[in-house]
Amino acid sequence: MEKKWWHSSVVYQIYPRSFMDSNGDGIGDLNGIISRLDYLKELGIDAIWLSPVFKSPNDDNGYDISDYKDIMDEFGTMKDMENLLAESNKRGIKIVMDLVPNHTSDEHMWFVEARKSKDNTYRDYYIWRDPVDGHEPNELGSNFSGSAWEYDETTGQYYMHLFSKKQPDLNWENEKVREEIYDIMNFWIDKGIGGFRMDVIELIGKKPDEMIIPNGPKLHDYLKEMNKKTFGDKDMLTVGECWCADPEIAKMYSNPDSHELSMVFQFEHIGLDQIPGKDKWDLRPLELTELKKVLNKWQMAFDGDGWNSLFWNNHDLPRIVSRWGNDKEYRVESAKMFATLLHGMKGTPYIYQGEELGMTNIRFDDINDYKDIETINMYNDRKSKGYAVDDIMKSIYTKGRDNARTPMQWDDSANGGFTTGTPWIKVNPNYKEINAQSQINDPDSIFNYYKKLISLRKENEVIVYGDFIPLLEDDKNIYAYERVLGDDRIRVVCNFTDKEVECDYADANGVELISNYKDYKDGILRPYEAFMVRL
Ligand code: TEU
Ligand code: CA
């Protein structure tokens, strides 16, 4: 397989609204990011995935874009963006932009025009249907509750929106739409970006009348066309968000021979703590054996014909240390355990802002403190259907997107040093104990543990390209595996529980690369103990 820079890279995701506020308006911004680039350089990451920074009325925090070639007022100006690119590139950090090609804002000029009349030039940029018996054209639901169809008075038709009604879906069957998106991509490529993360890319080939939404018939034709007309001859990282990908589908996207994307985000492991057939708010406990089955399958799925991305959390998901770890007594141990497990694997690791500090989920008592449209819509929907408020809040505490969206905790000053003003969403009150400043110079901190894991990937080719060999597949408490490249063999051993467990691999038996305890205990792994050794 041809080697690529992104095979050995580690990517850091920035959610700009919550990263760093430079001007005291309570909203993170581009100049704030620039002021923290040295922190990221110190951590050792290679690229930043920047969640959307384009003009947006912020119905869905920037995933509703009204101008793809301009910057959101709250975040800064195009000059600031160019400055961010220059300052990042100076430090050897690439910027991967977030492309939202499935839908725009209803305030985008295309949609403002399209809804004016049935014969408007832009009408066919979106998906319109006549009412059926005075109702929605079909049962299709929005990911943010309710129907995916919104009636538009002016022309007496419904338009389709798989997310909020302020996010009308683009009609990818229209060649002009595709050309517009490619033009936008080339605009950003010319500015010197390092790649694209593609929002819900699996939806662009949809056939709404046939109820085919992800993985539509033309999806891969579109991606091949996009590749050819935009980044195909550039050395870029492209990652598609694909909730419904299995390994075979992932190969279609990421096999170098198919000329589509570098890799996809797959979410099979992310659904393991929800009741099958229901949605993410319907909770059940995670079984480690199931997690191993899924992740090991993905680890062994590709042999030069695809590439994995590796992540535990992002701006849509709860924080891993709170979700499947222990964010109280064993916060530091469990955060390091999850880091070890993931960063020993084959693929490109993604770190979500604050994960490197062991930041935790949030619990607001008052629903009005929540800002996320998905959370608020679900709350109202379930309340109107008679769910108990306590149960709804429990789902939000476990799965709500705002868990990961509270401001970065930089130091122990007011608002964690994120802003001198009033933050757009409340800061987690634990910022006095959990913050970057207290970790940077502490050799035992989570931050320095991540830093070491990142440098291990740079120094050991076996971590990048080695084969994956699962161990103890039926064990309910321990996640262990080996990586092998030629004569080089490393072993990763992780106790997934808050108890001591017996383990044949508990003694290092080799050269330690990293460990979250200072020593070893004969035949025993202590709570969340994790290490990586060269055999
Ligand atoms: O997410 C796609 C998506 O399906 C999620 O919204 C999902 O429904 C939910 O978060 C499950 O937890 C992408 C973006 O990552 C998300 O932030 C956007 O809201 C969404 O697309 C619409 O652009
Ligand atoms: Ca600001």
Side-chain angles (χ1 to χ4, degrees):
M1 182 174 46
E2 196 194 332
K3 290 183 179 168
K4 295 284 186 186
W5 64 269
W6 40 264
H7 286 157
S8 54
S9 291
V10 176
V11 185
Y12 186 92
Q13 185 191 351
I14 290 184
Y15 195 66
R17 207 173 186 76
S18 300
F19 192 64
M20 182 67 207
D21 175 22
S22 71
N23 63 349
D25 68 354
I27 299 174
D29 46 52
L30 297 178
N31 284 328
I33 299 173
I34 294 171
S35 73
R36 297 295 183 179
L37 284 174
D38 287 332
Y39 167 86
L40 298 177
K41 179 78 193 152
E42 174 72 17
L43 183 58
I45 53 112
D46 305 276
I48 292 168
W49 154 21
L50 193 61
S51 275
V53 294
F54 315 101
K55 271 236 166 12
S56 166
N58 284 302
D59 192 50
D60 185 20
N61 286 357
Y63 283 91
D64 50 319
I65 297 169
S66 54
D67 187 347
Y68 291 78
K69 293 186 184 172
D70 205 351
I71 300 297
M72 192 191 297
D73 292 331
E74 293 97 319
F75 289 177
T77 63
M78 191 57 87
K79 267 249 131 2
D80 298 334
M81 185 63 218
E82 284 161 359
N83 201 7
L84 171 60
L85 280 161
E87 290 298 320
S88 307
N89 291 344
K90 216 194 272 174
R91 291 166 177 82
I93 296 174
K94 296 183 199 279
I95 302 275
V96 173
M97 298 294 268
D98 207 322
L99 180 76
V100 186
N102 179 69
H103 44 267
T104 68
S105 163
D106 66 339
E107 298 181 33
H108 194 290
M109 181 274 280
W110 303 334
F111 193 75
V112 172
E113 283 298 316
R115 75 193 317 175
K116 283 184 180 163
S117 72
K118 283 188 184 171
D119 55 12
N120 188 281
T121 327
Y122 293 95
R123 183 72 173 181
D124 198 37
Y125 273 40
Y126 296 88
I127 300 170
W128 300 92
R129 294 290 181 271
D130 285 324
V132 173
D133 301 330
H135 292 286
E136 289 80 7
N138 63 30
E139 299 283 271
L140 202 59
S142 148
N143 284 305
F144 292 163
S145 305
S147 170
W149 298 102
E150 178 73 8
Y151 187 67
D152 198 50
E153 290 285 344
T154 318
T155 54
Q157 285 192 315
Y158 286 89
Y159 67 85
M160 183 180 153
H161 60 92
L162 289 171
F163 294 90
S164 105
K165 60 179 184 226
K166 283 183 67 63
Q167 291 166 298
D169 277 58
L170 283 166
N171 174 19
W172 269 71
E173 289 182 10
N174 182 347
E175 197 188 327
K176 281 199 237 149
V177 166
R178 305 204 297 275
E179 293 298 333
E180 297 267 20
I181 300 288
Y182 306 154
D183 174 59
I184 289 162
M185 293 173 75
N186 287 324
F187 171 89
W188 285 103
I189 290 171
D190 290 345
K191 289 215 179 279
I193 65 167
F196 295 101
R197 176 266 186 185
M198 299 182 192
D199 194 61
V200 291
I201 197 68
E202 64 187 354
L203 305 182
I204 61 173
K206 66 185 100 47
K207 287 269 173 201
D209 306 295
E210 285 123 74
M211 299 293 278
I212 300 171
I213 302 302
N215 299 315
K218 291 245 180 82
L219 169 62
H220 295 280
D221 294 341
Y222 296 156
L223 285 172
K224 286 182 193 356
E225 179 183 80
M226 173 194 283
N227 177 299
K228 205 164 137 209
K229 296 200 169 185
T230 62
F231 55 81
D233 58 354
K234 316 269 185 317
D235 194 14
M236 297 199 140
L237 184 165
T238 50
V239 52
E241 189 199 19
C242 299
W243 285 79
C244 299
D246 62 20
E248 288 313 307
I249 293 174
K251 273 184 209 172
M252 295 170 75
Y253 293 103
S254 66
N255 187 334
D257 295 337
S258 28
H259 300 286
E260 294 187 17
L261 306 178
S262 311
M263 64 189 104
V264 300
F265 289 127
Q266 66 81 18
F267 293 82
E268 227 184 312
H269 58 302
I270 293 303
L272 293 175
D273 57 4
Q274 71 195 44
I275 300 173
K278 296 209 139 188
D279 65 31
K280 74 174 206 179
W281 308 109
D282 301 302
L283 314 171
R284 68 162 176 167
L286 174 78
E287 296 283 347
L288 177 62
T289 45
E290 281 196 67
L291 180 70
K292 286 197 277 191
K293 206 189 276 170
V294 168
L295 290 182
N296 292 354
K297 173 182 78 185
W298 280 91
Q299 281 294 294
M300 295 184 292
F302 309 127
D303 182 18
D305 54 357
W307 190 256
N308 268 310
S309 63
L310 308 168
F311 68 97
W312 289 126
N313 30 218
N314 64 31
H315 65 295
D316 293 332
L317 303 172
R319 291 189 173 275
I320 195 62
V321 66
S322 301
R323 184 180 195 173
W324 294 338
N326 178 323
D327 65 7
K328 301 197 169 60
E329 204 183 340
Y330 295 113
R331 186 183 63 87
V332 175
E333 289 83 354
S334 64
K336 290 178 180 174
M337 185 278 284
F338 280 102
T340 316
L341 182 47
L342 189 105
H343 286 257
M345 285 183 167
K346 187 173 182 174
T348 302
Y350 290 74
I351 299 169
Y352 179 68
Q353 64 183 43
E355 176 187 337
E356 78 282 14
L357 305 174
M359 276 178 61
T360 65
N361 280 354
I362 190 72
R363 282 174 94 95
F364 295 130
D365 294 331
D366 185 350
I367 185 67
N368 295 310
D369 285 332
Y370 286 91
K371 306 293 174 202
D372 170 31
I373 181 164
E374 182 193 49
T375 298
I376 294 164
N377 286 3
M378 181 283 282
Y379 178 91
N380 292 329
D381 186 54
R382 291 204 162 185
K383 225 179 134 191
S384 75
K385 288 177 175 151
Y387 284 73
V389 168
D390 280 358
D391 289 339
I392 304 176
M393 292 312 287
K394 195 174 161 227
S395 294
I396 295 174
Y397 295 152
T398 315
K399 292 285 188 73
R401 304 199 298 183
D402 284 336
N403 278 313
R405 297 179 180 183
T406 60
M408 260 301 269
Q409 296 165 201
W410 292 107
D411 56 40
D412 62 5
S413 69
N415 291 313
F418 163 72
T419 182
T420 54
T422 307
W424 70 278
I425 186 170
K426 285 185 180 162
V427 177
N428 193 315
N430 64 20
Y431 70 85
K432 289 210 191 304
E433 300 90 64
I434 305 172
N435 62 65
Q437 193 188 39
S438 67
Q439 294 198 27
I440 292 168
N441 297 317
D442 170 4
D444 293 329
S445 68
I446 302 171
F447 177 89
N448 278 305
Y449 198 88
Y450 269 86
K451 185 175 163 184
K452 185 158 180 201
L453 282 170
I454 295 169
S455 69
L456 283 171
R457 182 167 291 260
K458 307 272 169 255
E459 293 151 10
N460 297 278
E461 214 175 29
V462 61
I463 299 181
V464 180
Y465 292 111
D467 289 334
F468 179 92
I469 297 160
L471 301 172
L472 309 175
E473 283 167 276
D474 299 321
D475 193 289
K476 291 189 163 55
N477 305 309
I478 300 161
Y479 203 139
Y481 59 86
E482 290 176 359
R483 302 288 310 281
V484 181
L485 188 68
D487 294 337
D488 200 8
R489 177 180 285 260
I490 64 164
R491 183 186 288 158
V492 176
V493 179
C494 298
N495 177 1
F496 220 81
T497 76
D498 58 2
K499 314 227 163 16
E500 291 204 339
V501 296
E502 285 178 22
C503 178
D504 291 345
Y505 300 126
D507 314 286
N509 267 329
V511 183
E512 179 183 292
L513 297 174
I514 194 165
S515 166
N516 65 350
Y517 278 74
K518 294 223 180 297
D519 54 8
Y520 293 84
K521 193 166 169 182
D522 261 355
I524 297 282
L525 292 175
R526 287 151 291 183
Y528 296 105
E529 183 166 351
F531 56 80
M532 197 185 281
V533 288
R534 170 165 278 118
L535 301 177

